Amino acid sequence: MGTTPANEWTEHALRTLADAGYRSSEPRQTVIETMAGQGCSVTAREIADVVRDEGSHIGLASIYRTLDLLDRTGLAQRFEVGEGSARYEPAYPTGEHHHHIVCDSCGDVVPFEDEALEQAIERLAGRVDFAVNAHDVTLHGECPACSAPPRR
Amino acid sequence: MGTTPANEWTEHALRTLADAGYRSSEPRQTVIETMAGQGCSVTAREIADVVRDEGSHIGLASIYRTLDLLDRTGLAQRFEVGEGSARYEPAYPTGEHHHHIVCDSCGDVVPFEDEALEQAIERLAGRVDFAVNAHDVTLHGECPACSAPPRR
DNA sequence: GTGAATGCAAACTCTTTGCATGACT
DNA sequence: AGTCATGCAAAGAGTTTGCATTCAC
């Protein structure tokens, strides 16, 4: 396996933080690697659980502090899908990104991309009097499994 | 002043709840009227504050219960813009709705509508394998006041 | 060595829940 | 009268913060 987007983001994030004068501690590296390792978005607790399952341990507070740092430096994007806890995911320097569909029955979150949607938002952003620098789109509904007829 | 959309929603909501067998209590009516009275979206605490300023009082728990009821019955829509607390706003039976731009500096929330955006989402919804029945779009940025050069 | 980052625990905020009281139908 | 809804207070969940210790530079 060669260079994946996740690997690239990990390195980009570590380098960016180092360049900005932040120290490279093991907890920070682990949080970043764990985020990259998850397919899509993660919550603070999910990171803690994954790390614990790998035999290590990072205090929840440190995870929150790292996530906050990543968000503030633009290395990650924070968003919520309405289930109480914040989700974070890597933000690629290319601006490339996706959005999410949430199953309101089982809580499943799956990503999607849509160029037409991005264009509509871009045009809109140019028309409003806010300086728009990010956007969230979340679709709500039921996943195929949940909208299937009840099992018996 | 005649019939406004807000008035209509208030009546629609009260009637719908009554028809569904829910009791018409004063707290519920007040919450609904207060929601209608606010321009856009509200938080539970905002409702409590407005009600208190008008000389009445409703327990926070009842406000939350009413908001939850409105959300479950489709009379209101719940969403979050990332400032910790949930916001609710009237959902019109016509399906007419808007989205929000949030100023990440001062927390100001302003509504917008965009037909092209709605169309893009509608087309997208038809293409995914989820049964999509709602969507949130939130733009983040800085409002004109906050992006202005710092005052001196 | 010095200042920044961690970990723990306490504090906070938002929201939900249990239970007795009061109100709508 | 019989329920359903309210209000209060306590409980929960997620997140932030204070502070002593540890670690990176």
Side-chain angles (χ1 to χ4, degrees):
Chain A
M1 55 167 281
T3 302
T4 68
N7 283 338
E8 280 180 26
W9 177 77
T10 302
E11 298 212 354
H12 168 65
L14 292 173
R15 188 167 0 97
T16 302
L17 290 184
D19 290 352
Y22 293 100
R23 296 185 177 174
S24 173
S25 69
E26 215 224 281
R28 263 183 199 160
Q29 287 187 39
T30 304
V31 168
I32 290 172
E33 283 162 13
T34 303
M35 282 184 73
Q38 298 300 103
C40 180
S41 60
V42 289
T43 62
R45 181 163 296 281
E46 283 166 5
I47 291 177
D49 290 346
V50 171
V51 171
R52 182 176 34 63
D53 288 350
E54 290 172 346
S56 319
H57 171 82
I58 305 179
L60 254 183
S62 299
I63 294 176
Y64 277 110
R65 282 189 277 236
T66 299
L67 290 173
D68 184 53
L69 174 62
L70 292 171
D71 185 40
R72 282 186 287 110
T73 52
L75 290 166
Q77 169 114 254
R78 173 193 171 135
F79 63 93
E80 325 199 11
V81 295
E83 26 72 278
S85 50
R87 306 195 72 86
Y88 294 80
E89 69 185 15
Y92 295 95
T94 58
E96 210 177 327
H97 66 278
H98 58 245
H99 298 290
H100 303 88
I101 311 185
V102 183
C103 177
D104 289 329
S105 296
C106 68
D108 199 23
V109 177
V110 307
F112 70 82
E113 288 182 68
D114 190 74
E115 192 46 42
L117 176 62
E118 298 301 329
Q119 286 177 9
I121 290 176
E122 202 169 317
R123 264 184 241 119
L124 169 62
R127 210 178 314 133
V128 298
D129 55 356
F130 271 52
V132 176
N133 50 42
H135 62 265
D136 291 335
V137 178
T138 306
L139 269 47
H140 287 268
E142 293 210 309
C143 68
C146 288
S147 55
R151 53 166 164 49
R152 68 179 40 260
Chain B
M1 57 169 280
T3 302
T4 67
N7 284 339
E8 280 180 27
W9 178 76
T10 302
E11 300 213 353
H12 168 64
L14 292 173
R15 187 166 3 95
T16 303
L17 290 184
D19 290 353
Y22 294 100
R23 294 185 180 174
S24 171
S25 70
E26 215 222 285
R28 264 182 198 162
Q29 286 187 39
T30 304
V31 168
I32 290 172
E33 284 161 12
T34 302
M35 280 183 75
Q38 296 301 103
C40 179
S41 61
V42 289
T43 62
R45 181 164 296 280
E46 283 167 5
I47 291 177
D49 291 346
V50 170
V51 171
R52 182 175 35 64
D53 289 349
E54 289 172 345
S56 318
H57 171 83
I58 305 179
L60 255 183
S62 299
I63 295 177
Y64 277 111
R65 282 189 277 235
T66 299
L67 290 173
D68 183 53
L69 175 61
L70 292 171
D71 184 41
R72 280 185 289 112
T73 53
L75 290 165
Q77 168 115 255
R78 171 191 174 137
F79 62 95
E80 325 197 10
V81 296
E83 25 72 279
S85 48
R87 306 195 73 87
Y88 293 81
E89 69 184 12
Y92 296 95
T94 57
E96 211 177 325
H97 66 279
H98 58 244
H99 299 290
H100 303 88
I101 310 185
V102 182
C103 177
D104 290 328
S105 296
C106 69
D108 199 24
V109 178
V110 308
F112 71 82
E113 288 182 68
D114 190 75
E115 192 46 41
L117 177 61
E118 299 301 329
Q119 285 177 9
I121 290 175
E122 201 168 317
R123 262 184 244 120
L124 171 61
R127 210 179 314 133
V128 299
D129 54 356
F130 271 53
V132 176
N133 50 43
H135 61 266
D136 292 336
V137 179
T138 306
L139 269 48
H140 288 268
E142 293 210 310
C143 68
C146 288
S147 55
R151 55 168 160 46
R152 64 180 47 256

